[in-house]
């Protein structure tokens, strides 16, 4: 155990195959990271979810749960960019490191998946999102059992993520009956690999985005020169993929001028990281 300050960096991501339909999921990691700073001290009173996470961890492991958690760099929440998974896995990892609890990646994901359901930030446990946040790359999972089925290294490409003013709860979305999509999603799952994951992500976004509704800024999109576009799972964010950095830079300036909310990220194979700093 270290009494210094722990700085963790957890990946964001986008949905490739949402597990709402048949518990099989896939997510791709992005290098736009959440920075979590943890130190010994009492959790802030307004951080209900973090206090609940630490309480659950203490009840399981019986060790000190007093940690002060600050999120210095946030991932936009409610956009399908895996902010909840980054936070939960970051808190679990911080707790294990402060209390000298040996956790492999599989352990972090299994514990985080259970906590995600308990505090109701995910209906499926989001093990695909958690693996992408912790491990990087393209992660394909059995979410019912929080098990990694396949992990692919992927070509790192540039994306613009267009964010919306609206937000959507993954837990609430998971209550929708999507059983009519099971056959389609099983076929998508069988096709899923590192070569066609973007096509699957676009189909996944089309199905769930159509069901949930999304306000697509068509007059703005017509100005842009992206290679592909898709809805990020249940939305409401859009992802635009670029092959040419100069084209991306051009479109960034257009979005700035039109006052559209967005962030720029690249797909990444780099896992989450942590470092200690003595105070």
């Amino acid at each position: 155990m270290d009494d210094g300050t722990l700085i963790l960096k957890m990946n964001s991501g986008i949905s490739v195959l949402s597990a709402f339909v048949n518990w099989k999921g896939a997510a791709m990691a992005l290098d736009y990271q959440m920075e979590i700073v943890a130190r010994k001290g009492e959790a802030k009173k307004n951080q209900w979810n973090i206090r609940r996470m630490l309480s659950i961890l203490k009840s399981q492991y019986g060790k000190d749960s007093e940690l002060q958690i600050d999120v210095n760099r946030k991932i936009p929440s409610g956009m399908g960019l895996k902010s909840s998974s980054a936070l939960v896995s970051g808190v679990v990892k911080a707790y294990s490191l402060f209390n000298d609890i040996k956790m492999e990646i599989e352990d972090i994901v299994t514990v985080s998946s259970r906590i995600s359901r308990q505090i109701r930030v995910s209906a499926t446990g989001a093990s695909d999102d958690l693996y992408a946040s912790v491990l990087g790359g393209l992660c394909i999972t059995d979410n019912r059992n929080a098990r990694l089925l396949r992990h692919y290294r992927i070509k790192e490409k540039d994306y613009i993520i267009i964010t919306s003013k609206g937000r959507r709860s993954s837990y609430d979305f998971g209550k929708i009956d999507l059983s009519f999509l099971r056959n389609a999603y099983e076929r998508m799952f069988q096709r899923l690999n590192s070569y066609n994951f973007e096509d699957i992500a676009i189909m996944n976004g089309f199905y769930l985005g159509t069901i949930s509704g999304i306000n697509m800024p068509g007059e703005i999109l017509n100005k842009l020169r992206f290679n592909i576009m898709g809805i990020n799972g249940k939305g409401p964010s859009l992802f635009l993929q670029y092959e040419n950095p100069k084209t991306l830079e051009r479109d960034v300036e257009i979005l700035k001028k039109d006052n559209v909310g967005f962030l720029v990220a690249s797909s990444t194979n780099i896992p989450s990281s942590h470092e200690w700093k003595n105070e």
Side-chain angles (χ1 to χ4, degrees), residues 60-257:
Q60 178 173 349
Y61 293 100
K63 296 197 175 184
D64 186 9
S65 64
E66 292 299 311
L67 285 181
Q68 185 182 101
I69 304 287
D70 291 298
V71 181
N72 281 2
R73 189 189 191 193
K74 297 181 179 180
I75 299 167
S77 62
M79 300 291 160
L81 296 177
K82 321 310 176 194
S83 60
S84 295
S85 293
L87 180 60
V88 176
S89 57
V91 170
V92 170
K93 189 174 180 179
Y95 178 87
S96 69
L97 290 168
F98 268 99
N99 289 287
D100 287 332
I101 300 169
K102 183 174 174 55
M103 281 194 186
E104 304 295 341
I105 290 174
E106 293 81 2
D107 302 317
I108 293 172
V109 170
T110 299
V111 172
S112 299
S113 179
R114 177 173 55 81
I115 290 175
S116 293
R117 290 193 207 180
Q118 284 183 267
I119 66 174
R120 298 192 172 190
V121 296
S122 172
T124 68
S127 56
D128 49 340
D129 304 343
L130 289 162
Y131 268 111
S133 179
V134 176
L135 194 58
L138 173 64
C139 299
I140 303 171
T141 57
D142 167 8
N143 281 28
R144 193 182 296 276
N145 298 299
R147 185 162 63 94
L148 182 66
L149 300 177
R150 297 194 296 278
H151 176 236
Y152 290 108
R153 288 187 61 83
I154 52 178
K155 183 177 179 182
E156 296 180 353
K157 297 180 181 179
D158 293 326
Y159 292 82
I160 292 178
I161 313 295
I162 296 182
T163 57
S164 166
K165 293 181 180 178
R167 297 173 60 182
R168 296 207 177 109
S169 161
S170 293
Y171 185 82
D172 291 338
F173 191 84
K175 297 175 184 177
I176 300 173
D177 182 7
L178 299 172
S179 57
F180 67 97
L181 289 174
R182 280 179 185 156
N183 288 338
Y185 268 66
E186 186 59 35
R187 290 195 297 271
M188 290 161 64
F189 174 77
Q190 294 300 329
R191 290 180 53 204
L192 181 55
N193 56 50
S194 60
Y195 298 103
N196 67 355
F197 75 89
E198 286 174 334
D199 291 339
I200 300 297
I202 291 169
M203 292 172 64
N204 177 69
F206 173 78
Y207 279 123
L208 301 190
T210 300
I211 291 166
S212 61
I214 186 165
N215 181 20
M216 301 177 71
E219 71 283 358
I220 296 171
L221 294 175
N222 285 336
K223 302 177 185 178
L224 307 180
R225 296 179 182 173
F226 48 83
N227 292 92
I228 64 170
M229 181 194 75
I231 304 169
N232 185 26
K234 70 183 188 310
S237 63
L238 306 177
F239 64 89
L240 314 176
Q241 188 269 315
Y242 290 80
E243 300 289 345
N244 188 326
K246 291 189 179 298
T247 305
L248 182 144
E249 290 172 8
R250 168 196 175 273
D251 285 4
V252 161
E253 293 306 313
I254 291 173
L255 293 172
K256 285 180 179 177
K257 184 177 179 181

Side-chain angles (χ1 to χ4, degrees), residues 253-267:
E253 293 306 313
I254 291 173
L255 293 172
K256 285 180 179 177
K257 184 177 179 181
D258 287 344
N259 199 28
V260 176
F262 71 95
L263 60 88
V264 178
S266 298
S267 49

Side-chain angles (χ1 to χ4, degrees), residues 37-65:
V37 178
R39 56 179 64 88
K40 284 290 184 181
E42 186 178 357
K44 297 176 182 178
K45 289 185 170 28
N46 64 345
Q47 294 179 326
W48 182 88
N49 272 350
I50 291 175
R51 293 170 69 90
R52 178 70 174 133
M53 290 179 219
L54 293 171
S55 175
I56 292 169
L57 287 164
K58 184 176 182 179
S59 68
Q60 178 173 349
Y61 293 100
K63 296 197 175 184
D64 186 9
S65 64

